[in-house]
Amino acid sequence: MTLILRCPVCHEPLAQSFHTSGMGLGCIRNHQFDRARQGYFNLLPGHKKRSKNPGDDKTMVQARTRFLDKGYYKPVADSLANTLDSLGKPSVSQLSILDAGCGEGYYTERLQQTFPEASVTGIDISKPAIVACCKRNQAVQWLVASVNDIPVKDQELDVIISVFSRCDWNEFARLLKPEGHVLVLTPGEKHLLELRQVIYETVRPYPVDKLLDQLPESFTLTETKAVQGVMQLNSATDIMDLLAMTPHYWHVKPSQKEKLASLNALQCRFDMKLYVMQRAG
Ligand SMILES: C[S@@+](CC[C@H](N)C(=O)[O-])C[C@H]1O[C@@H](n2cnc3c(N)ncnc32)[C@H](O)[C@@H]1O
Ligand SMILES: [Zn+2]
């Protein structure tokens, strides 16, 4: 089953359109969206963009792909896939999963491979990220779109995944079927502690559980899990790629960045928290 998409301009349903050159999507009000040659649809209208090139840039996307493809965060992908499996949803073609803020698609691909029958969609506001997704996997539906205005019809989804990305609970409530689930992965207090100790003089614990303050009444927290491990990074490339995946990439002083770049090895922990939320029936 493929998801019913909605027009990002007028919110009417989108259907295959033959007005555009090649295969495209269109709504009843004649808003048209071409399929990019890489296979994705760009459903982020120009007037809804806050900047010319929103989201992660190509350098960050490439760093993320290099790092993730080395398997450092495989235990994290395992934990997501196992948790989704444990929800007991039937792995059938009616099962629909959306990765909101999917980046370059590492976790989305893993879910598609774990649930090959399901309809899996990945959205991200960054075009370079979605282009990288298309190279990774052609069985997922990839969309350039914002988490704050997801171009999918109401109550179409069984599961929404949000990995280190922003959550829009109004959108999630609109899109989930009754009793649908949201899986959110955020940093735990000591996430990347050793990396942060190299670049900052004082390292503060990450604040945790902040997202629970914003959780609307229509959602219940059903489970939390710690996802933790130790990585042995054995090259300057891997260390700098890890930095480029974090917000510290923007905040670090050049001198501290050089200090990190001079290292050839770093043992560093990851400390994440996985939350499972369920929408009311
Ligand atoms: C820290 S990255 C995480 C990417 C991926 N989930 C992962 O863990 O590899 C955050 C992602 O959110 C995207 N992003 C930022 N604002 C967004 C928005 N409003 N809608 C959709 N994606 C957004 C960025 O482009 C980036 O790819
Ligand atoms: Zn429209």
Side-chain angles (χ1 to χ4, degrees):
M1 192 189 77
T2 37
L3 224 49
I4 304 184
L5 298 177
R6 76 174 196 182
C7 173
V9 181
C10 69
H11 292 172
E12 293 290 344
L14 286 172
Q16 265 200 20
S17 148
F18 301 102
H19 297 283
T20 45
S21 48
M23 200 179 68
L25 296 174
C27 72
I28 197 165
R29 300 195 185 179
N30 215 23
H31 301 120
Q32 303 287 335
F33 305 91
D34 289 336
R35 183 177 182 273
R37 78 188 143 75
Q38 295 93 340
Y40 67 90
F41 287 99
N42 187 341
L43 299 181
L44 186 69
H47 69 276
K48 290 198 176 172
K49 283 191 198 178
R50 295 223 180 105
S51 67
K52 189 164 177 281
N53 298 307
D56 283 8
D57 66 22
K58 196 171 172 184
T59 311
M60 294 161 81
V61 168
Q62 287 174 341
R64 192 174 285 279
T65 299
R66 272 195 303 271
F67 186 88
L68 291 172
D69 280 351
K70 287 186 181 160
Y72 289 119
Y73 279 173
K74 183 176 174 296
V76 182
D78 291 344
S79 178
L80 267 176
N82 294 339
T83 304
L84 214 165
D85 205 21
S86 73
L87 297 178
K89 310 248 181 211
S91 179
V92 292
S93 56
Q94 288 95 327
L95 180 68
S96 52
I97 304 169
L98 179 114
D99 188 353
C102 62
E104 55 70 70
Y106 175 75
Y107 300 106
T108 336
E109 173 170 57
R110 175 61 191 275
L111 295 178
Q112 186 278 320
Q113 289 167 345
T114 309
F115 298 93
E117 301 276 300
S119 136
V120 182
T121 304
I123 68 163
D124 200 283
I125 206 164
S126 155
K127 199 154 125 182
I130 291 296
V131 169
C133 288
C134 294
K135 286 192 198 136
R136 202 180 251 300
N137 184 300
Q138 285 285 325
V140 172
Q141 161 140 272
W142 302 111
L143 306 172
V144 177
S146 171
V147 163
N148 304 115
D149 187 7
I150 300 176
V152 174
K153 208 177 133 270
D154 300 2
Q155 299 205 358
E156 277 283 293
L157 298 169
D158 295 285
V159 182
I160 298 175
I161 310 288
S162 173
V163 181
F164 282 66
S165 292
R166 62 185 71 199
C167 295
D168 185 320
W169 292 103
N170 289 335
E171 278 297 79
F172 292 178
R174 176 180 72 78
L175 290 165
L176 283 173
K177 296 175 191 169
E179 299 182 1
H181 287 88
V182 186
L183 270 56
V184 184
L185 199 67
T186 65
E189 283 188 358
K190 293 189 175 165
H191 187 48
L192 305 182
L193 181 66
E194 294 76 9
L195 180 131
R196 292 190 285 142
Q197 281 170 339
V198 178
I199 57 175
Y200 299 123
E201 269 155 33
T202 325
V203 176
R204 280 180 241 120
Y206 276 117
V208 289
D209 294 344
K210 266 197 326 194
L211 85 164
L212 297 179
D213 301 338
Q214 311 151 4
L215 199 66
E217 274 179 16
S218 49
F219 284 93
T220 313
L221 175 69
T222 59
E223 198 181 348
T224 55
K225 277 185 192 177
V227 183
Q228 296 166 331
V230 177
M231 304 177 279
Q232 179 60 46
L233 308 175
N234 279 327
S235 76
T237 308
D238 292 1
I239 296 168
M240 297 315 280
D241 283 347
L242 178 58
L243 178 71
M245 289 166 60
T246 70
H248 310 298
Y249 180 70
W250 303 107
H251 307 313
V252 64
K253 290 186 196 144
S255 59
Q256 302 302 90
K257 197 171 179 175
E258 273 169 34
K259 195 169 146 199
L260 192 69
S262 70
L263 301 180
N264 287 318
L266 179 70
Q267 199 178 60
C268 185
R269 79 187 75 185
F270 58 85
D271 172 19
M272 308 182 189
K273 208 162 170 187
L274 178 60
Y275 301 82
V276 182
M277 276 67 143
Q278 187 167 29
R279 184 189 185 281

